[in-house]
Amino acid sequence: MLEYILIMLCLPPICAIICAVGHLPNGLLHWLHRLTTTCVCGSVAMLAYKFDPAKPFMSDYFYVDALSLWIIIIIATLYMAATWTARSYLSREERCGILKGEQLQNGRYFALMQLFCWTMFIVLLVNNLGLMWVAIEATTLISALLISYKFTSQALEATWKYVMVCTVGICLALLGTLILYYAEIQALGSKNALNWLYLFENAQVLDPSLTKLAMLFIIIGYGTKAGMAPMHTWLPDAYAEAPSLTSGMLSGALCSCALYVLIRNLVILLPTAGAVMMGNMLMFFAVLTVAIAVPFVVVQRDVKRILAYSSMENIGIMVAGIGVFTAASLKGVMLHMYSHAMIKFVLFFIAGTIIQEFQTRNMMRIRGMMNDVPATATFWLTGILGILGLPPLGLFFSKFQILGAMFSEGHWLAGCALLILLTGVLIGILYHGMRMLCDRTHIKPLGDLITFTDTFALMTLLLLTCVVGAGFANMPWLNNLLDHAVRIIGG
């Protein structure tokens, strides 16, 4: 097991160094990028194949259990998709005039993408809450350089906002981690400081007053990283201005990573802070996040910003599912996390393709996609229906499971509020999405620019959401993995 982990952690930085300083031709850079990613994802596949969910892997520095493996699988899947679609996407950016001259530095892009995924793997593999905080902060620094990749004034402004807001949030998370450390010192001494497994086994002896205070800072701090209100203001700008492949990774991979860190901390705080207080706090932030997203979805004009606010909606649903804290809701959160990551990557990729084809981000000027760009339109329609939670894509089943758990556990007020707000999101996205597909053409597009590799990658991601979302109960390995992940969260 350890050799697979070492491959995951050694190959990306080596590839990043070669891409950044090697001065290789673009064609060779693309294949080096693809080869590295394929080897890393092959190691993830072997790790998953040999992993026993009932027996977590432990070493001096690394810890892998069912929960961390599930998020590793999500990130590895998007990592592979982003790598194999990068060549055609970046070539179209140059051909369509969106990236020019010094902006198009493939070596810099590949180096940053490798380091970005590498830092997320570190977050998921370390067994120390302090190192986990360091790793999640490292993802901020690397992803900031990816957001500013185009070096336009808008991209730099979005990067500045992202760094400032996330830094404030991550500082709050650090304060919560320090309070938790103080509670551990008081109750358990300095041995195994902030070791997650040690804290998990002794969480019930921590001081409740300190853990409740730590919980407040940790939820707001790591919630900022996930895009949870009220510290969400970086998210629309960052998602809109970053290259579409980066936007897909931010929404699908980094969001899942941030929620993972939040869950890891909440598991420690749960026995003494109490499920009722924790659940009520999470439910409040969940409803607030979705409520803020609704009006911006309805009045939105930017094709990527509407997807950013849709991400806020899904973050709110997942946080609400965590707040219910039952086996059904937590399994729904795990499935929702996977399906949201896959579908949102597809949508951001297609949004970037639409911008390339129509040379505008304004949805009010994009019309007649079904007639002019049928392949792009098909993926756009499928992704829109999927992100709204319509069958047969996976979000239908996970949303139903989370909302059903909320009502069955007596969260009627929050459940009804979420249903009303989700209806507003559905109306807003359907209105804009259908106008883009069916109205008369305002701008003559360049034509369908999706390649065979793009089509294969996007179809695979959409098919995976259907299989995982609808068929997990009939897949013994997957069901077993999710059951053990839920037991970890539920203590």
Side-chain angles (χ1 to χ4, degrees):
M1 301 284 283
L2 183 59
E3 58 268 27
Y4 301 126
I5 293 175
L6 292 177
I7 290 173
M8 292 165 57
L9 296 181
C10 291
L11 288 184
I14 293 173
C15 177
I17 293 171
I18 295 173
C19 290
V21 302
H23 304 292
L24 299 177
N26 279 345
L28 193 56
L29 283 173
H30 280 293
W31 282 109
L32 176 64
H33 187 48
R34 288 178 174 181
L35 179 62
T36 302
T37 302
T38 304
C39 291
V40 171
C41 292
S43 298
V44 172
M46 291 302 299
L47 181 66
Y49 175 73
K50 295 191 174 183
F51 182 76
D52 183 357
K55 299 177 181 178
F57 170 79
M58 288 174 284
S59 70
D60 292 338
Y61 302 101
F62 305 120
Y63 179 78
V64 181
D65 58 15
L67 176 60
S68 56
L69 181 61
W70 180 243
I71 313 301
I72 287 172
I73 291 171
I74 294 174
I75 291 174
T77 306
L78 295 186
Y79 181 30
M80 179 72 83
T83 297
W84 280 88
T85 56
R87 181 168 191 168
S88 59
Y89 176 81
L90 292 174
S91 298
R92 293 198 302 267
E93 291 279 274
E94 182 181 19
R95 195 165 66 249
C96 297
I98 297 173
L99 288 177
K100 300 176 183 178
E102 289 299 317
Q103 292 178 320
L104 192 67
Q105 298 179 25
N106 289 341
R108 177 165 59 89
Y109 173 82
F110 294 147
L112 291 173
M113 184 59 76
Q114 291 289 343
L115 291 175
F116 182 39
C117 295
W118 176 65
T119 53
M120 287 191 286
F121 284 137
I122 293 176
V123 171
L124 301 170
L125 291 170
V126 295
N127 188 29
N128 185 283
L129 295 179
L131 292 177
M132 203 176 289
W133 179 90
V134 173
I136 202 74
E137 174 66 358
T139 64
T140 302
L141 300 177
I142 300 298
S143 55
L145 296 173
L146 279 168
I147 293 169
S148 64
Y149 178 73
K150 296 179 182 179
F151 276 104
T152 62
S153 58
Q154 296 89 345
L156 293 175
E157 181 182 350
T159 303
W160 177 84
K161 185 181 291 187
Y162 172 66
V163 171
M164 289 300 103
V165 176
C166 284
T167 299
V168 172
I170 214 71
C171 286
L172 293 176
L174 175 61
L175 180 57
T177 304
L178 291 175
I179 295 172
L180 178 59
Y181 173 69
Y182 179 67
E184 181 188 10
I185 292 295
Q186 276 197 332
L188 301 168
S190 59
K191 182 182 178 182
N192 296 319
L194 291 178
N195 181 284
W196 183 86
L197 190 59
Y198 182 70
L199 281 171
F200 179 71
E201 294 169 348
N202 299 278
Q204 66 278 359
V205 303
L206 300 178
D207 185 348
S209 60
L210 290 175
T211 55
K212 289 176 182 178
L213 182 61
M215 181 178 64
L216 175 63
F217 289 113
I218 285 172
I219 288 177
I220 296 176
Y222 288 123
T224 300
K225 189 70 176 180
M228 192 172 69
M231 303 283 283
H232 67 283
T233 51
W234 63 269
L235 187 146
D237 293 297
Y239 285 16
E241 298 302 331
S244 291
L245 294 177
T246 303
S247 301
M249 292 297 292
L250 289 171
S251 180
L254 187 58
C255 169
S256 300
C257 210
L259 288 176
Y260 164 84
V261 178
L262 177 62
I263 290 170
R264 280 290 187 203
N265 282 270
L266 292 181
V267 168
I268 304 301
L269 302 172
L270 177 63
T272 51
V276 175
M277 178 181 176
M278 186 179 295
N280 290 337
M281 189 179 297
L282 290 171
M283 210 68 69
F284 169 77
F285 285 119
V287 174
L288 177 64
T289 301
V290 182
I292 289 176
V294 172
F296 290 99
V297 167
V298 173
V299 303
Q300 197 52 244
R301 296 294 180 266
D302 190 301
V303 67
K304 290 181 71 176
R305 279 179 177 269
I306 196 170
L307 298 180
Y309 286 110
S310 170
S311 292
M312 287 181 59
E313 170 220 356
N314 285 280
I315 291 162
I317 293 171
M318 287 185 276
V319 172
I322 298 169
V324 177
F325 254 102
T326 65
S329 72
L330 293 173
K331 186 175 283 189
V333 170
M334 296 294 103
L335 293 171
H336 197 95
M337 198 178 290
Y338 185 91
S339 295
H340 170 256
M342 303 302 117
I343 296 173
K344 194 52 67 70
F345 181 88
V346 171
L347 280 172
F348 271 113
F349 184 89
I350 293 298
T353 305
I354 291 171
I355 295 169
Q356 292 167 346
E357 292 170 346
F358 288 86
Q359 298 290 287
T360 181
R361 289 163 46 169
N362 189 341
M363 291 184 293
M364 305 308 292
R365 303 184 64 197
I366 302 171
R367 297 286 184 270
M369 287 177 57
M370 276 296 186
N371 290 327
D372 296 329
V373 285
T376 305
T378 301
F379 279 115
W380 179 250
L381 177 61
T382 307
I384 288 294
L385 296 178
I387 207 65
L388 291 175
L390 300 177
L393 276 80
L395 284 185
F396 168 77
F397 304 97
S398 57
K399 278 186 178 180
F400 187 85
Q401 195 165 344
I402 292 171
L403 289 170
M406 291 179 69
F407 286 112
S408 65
E409 292 300 313
H411 297 282
W412 290 91
L413 182 60
C416 290
L418 273 182
L419 277 177
I420 295 170
L421 293 170
L422 291 179
T423 303
V425 172
L426 184 144
I427 292 171
I429 292 180
L430 275 183
Y431 170 76
H432 292 296
M434 288 308 191
R435 281 174 62 93
M436 292 169 64
L437 293 170
C438 302
D439 212 340
R440 292 183 178 181
T441 301
H442 284 195
I443 301 174
K444 188 64 178 177
L446 300 178
D448 265 320
L449 300 179
I450 296 180
T451 65
F452 173 79
T453 303
D454 300 337
T455 301
F456 179 78
L458 301 181
M459 287 181 64
T460 301
L461 294 182
L462 292 174
L463 182 61
L464 284 173
T465 67
C466 298
V467 173
V468 172
F472 76 94
N474 299 318
M475 300 167 65
W477 180 87
L478 178 59
N479 198 35
N480 186 35
L481 182 69
L482 291 176
D483 282 339
H484 280 87
V486 167
R487 288 172 191 158
I488 292 167
I489 303 171

